[in-house]
Structure formats: structure tokens, C-alpha cells
Amino acid sequence: MDHSELFWNAGVEDLKRGYIRQGEQVVCLLDGQRYEQGIIYQDQGVFYDAERYMRLHIERTYGSVFEYLISLDKKLTGLTDHQNRLLQLFYQGMGDAEIQKETGIGSASTIRNHRFGLKEKERQAKVFLTLMELLKEKDRHAPVIVEVPVQARMVDERYNITEDERQKVLKKYFPNGTDGRLKTFKIQEKHKLIVLREIAGRFVKGQTYHEKEINAILQEVYDDYVTVRRYMIEYGLLDRKPDGSEYWLKDY
């Protein structure tokens, strides 16, 4: 199970913490980083157990779990830009009068009304979450939906993919198996996403590649590797330095 699946299956308390305990490991819900329990990690002369070291990892990489979550696509958070900004200011500990001055919004009472609106949204979210949990117990016809990558941008209908559909697409375009070559890349956008995510599995997370290495791997997949590479970058699966000298697999 990748970290996106772990993220979406995690409970609220685990999400607040930013990691879960999985067997003998501590796993980051934000990027999949793993540390072994029972091992002592040293950093700048300080020794940490796995959980304390994970908290240090989250703080150094993202600032806080709040900062990570608030940066997600609005279709994942359900927040408007305005609500997002207010939550950030509330999190900073600013009072209503300070926020009013900072944003130029109405008056301090206007800010209090926004607080009330967000609280109401919280109550609605709790009821909706409970309804969906109860629904899972009864809805035997619900298809298994492929989880949206946590760091996905421009979340749209392309991510409306069932596991059954994903398997059919992969079988169609990788007739000799997903370790083989791609039949064609002249396919609809939704199918491109499925294919590209499968190709991304050929890269090692955390490893840096030179352009020639990237090209060699993709050339084993498809003759027009330049187009595949470009789409992998556009879809946020690969990232690179501005000069194109180094590439790496992004968290998705």
C-alpha cells in the first residue's frame, strides 16, 4: 500500500500526527518515509527514537502537518481560497482584530462570522464522514476507486478511475504485461494518467537520475520517450532541475 492509500485510510488522530505505526516501522503519511522502530537515529549530535525522528522529518520537510494539509489542492480540502487564508491566520494565533487589519475584511465581527461558518463546516464534515462510514457497511455495489494522489494538482475527472478500469487499461496498452513495452501513447487523457502512473513505478523513490538515465528507462517503455518524459513532468510524476541536469520521482 503506497502512502496515498495510507493517507486516505488513516483516522483523524493519525492524520493530525502525520504518521502511523505499521508493524516494526513508523510511516509518514505525507510522503511515505519510513523509520524502523528500535533503531536510534543520530542527527547533529542528538539521538532520536523512530517516532521522534519522524516528527523531526515532518517539521523540517513541511513545517507542520497543518502546513502540508493546507497546501493541498482545494478539491481535496474542500476549502475556498478565502477559507484557506483565514485558517492559516487562525493557525498563526492571530486575533480577530489583527486578521481584520491584515486582510481588510469588514470588521472583527465579520471575522467571528467566518469562524462560525468554519465551525459549521466542521460539524457538517463529521456528519458526512459518519454517513459515508455507515454506507460502506451497506453499499455492496460501490466500485473500488483508485485513490487520488495526495499531492495531485488540478484534480478532475481524470482521477475518477475504478480499480477494474485501471486493470483493463493497463492490459490494453501493455499487452505483454506492465513490465513490457507500451503499445501506443495516442490515448485519451484519463488513460494517459493510468499509464504514466504505472510507468512511474519503474523509477526508485529518492533516487536522482541524469537525463540520459531517464531517457534509457523510458526508451525501454516507448520509442517516443521524449513525449512520455514531458507528460510525466506535466502530470507531476517526475520533477527536475531547471537546467534538466537531474530528475527524480515526485511524491504522488
Side-chain angles (χ1 to χ4, degrees):
M1 185 180 293
D2 63 29
H3 83 274
S4 286
E5 289 179 275
L6 290 175
F7 179 95
W8 294 117
N9 288 323
V12 173
E13 290 304 314
D14 287 332
L15 285 175
K16 284 170 60 180
R17 188 169 54 237
Y19 64 88
I20 60 170
R21 304 172 191 91
Q22 191 178 58
E24 297 299 315
Q25 295 182 321
V26 179
V27 185
C28 183
L29 293 170
L30 315 186
D31 59 23
Q33 178 65 51
R34 294 171 180 265
Y35 297 122
E36 293 286 338
Q37 296 196 67
I39 293 179
I40 300 301
Y41 296 86
Q42 182 179 5
D43 186 275
Q44 298 181 4
V46 180
F47 295 92
Y48 302 88
D49 63 21
E51 291 201 36
R52 290 172 68 89
Y53 198 54
M54 179 61 77
R55 290 196 290 270
L56 180 65
H57 162 71
I58 292 173
E59 180 181 342
R60 285 180 172 173
T61 308
Y62 306 105
S64 68
V65 175
F66 179 91
E67 290 175 70
Y68 175 87
L69 295 176
I70 205 74
S71 71
L72 296 178
D73 187 276
K74 65 177 66 177
K75 287 195 176 181
L76 298 182
T77 64
L79 297 170
T80 65
D81 292 337
H82 181 58
Q83 290 170 331
N84 184 296
R85 176 59 176 154
L86 284 174
L87 282 174
Q88 292 185 58
L89 296 175
F90 294 151
Y91 188 75
Q92 292 171 19
M94 296 179 66
D96 294 352
E98 293 176 290
I99 294 174
Q100 188 278 325
K101 185 176 181 181
E102 172 76 18
T103 60
I105 297 174
S107 63
S109 62
T110 304
I111 304 300
R112 285 195 294 275
N113 288 336
H114 283 299
R115 284 185 186 273
F116 177 81
L118 288 168
K119 192 67 179 178
E120 184 177 38
K121 188 178 181 70
E122 178 190 17
R123 290 192 291 267
Q124 292 169 343
K126 285 181 179 179
V127 172
F128 182 71
L129 180 60
T130 304
L131 287 170
M132 292 303 293
E133 288 296 316
L134 292 170
L135 179 61
K136 288 177 185 178
E137 300 173 8
K138 296 290 186 180
D139 189 2
R140 297 185 178 90
H141 303 288
V144 177
I145 304 296
V146 175
E147 297 292 5
V148 177
V150 182
Q151 285 290 3
R153 292 293 182 263
M154 295 178 66
V155 180
D156 54 28
E157 66 279 356
R158 287 174 295 179
Y159 289 95
N160 184 17
I161 304 166
T162 66
E163 180 59 30
D164 183 59
E165 180 181 8
R166 187 180 79 89
Q167 292 296 337
K168 288 180 180 178
V169 169
L170 292 177
K171 186 176 181 180
K172 178 179 180 180
Y173 295 112
F174 290 97
N176 297 316
T178 52
D179 291 333
R181 291 181 62 78
L182 177 64
K183 182 179 179 181
T184 180
F185 197 59
K186 296 178 179 178
I187 53 182
Q188 58 179 280
E189 293 300 311
K190 185 176 181 179
H191 291 179
K192 275 193 176 76
L193 177 62
I194 297 172
V195 166
L196 290 170
R197 289 178 68 178
E198 186 65 30
I199 294 173
R202 303 196 184 198
F203 297 92
V204 178
K205 183 183 174 184
Q207 182 172 325
T208 300
Y209 299 86
H210 296 297
E211 186 172 293
K212 287 184 178 179
E213 295 174 304
I214 289 286
N215 293 344
I217 293 171
L218 294 180
Q219 204 163 12
E220 289 294 316
V221 180
Y222 194 61
D223 289 336
D224 188 3
Y225 60 89
V226 174
T227 296
V228 174
R229 187 186 68 202
R230 175 169 58 83
Y231 270 93
M232 291 192 75
I233 293 170
E234 288 182 2
Y235 274 71
L237 300 172
L238 282 180
D239 206 349
R240 63 179 176 178
K241 287 188 174 180
D243 62 2
S245 61
E246 292 184 352
Y247 293 74
W248 57 90
L249 187 67
K250 291 186 69 174
D251 294 318
Y252 64 90

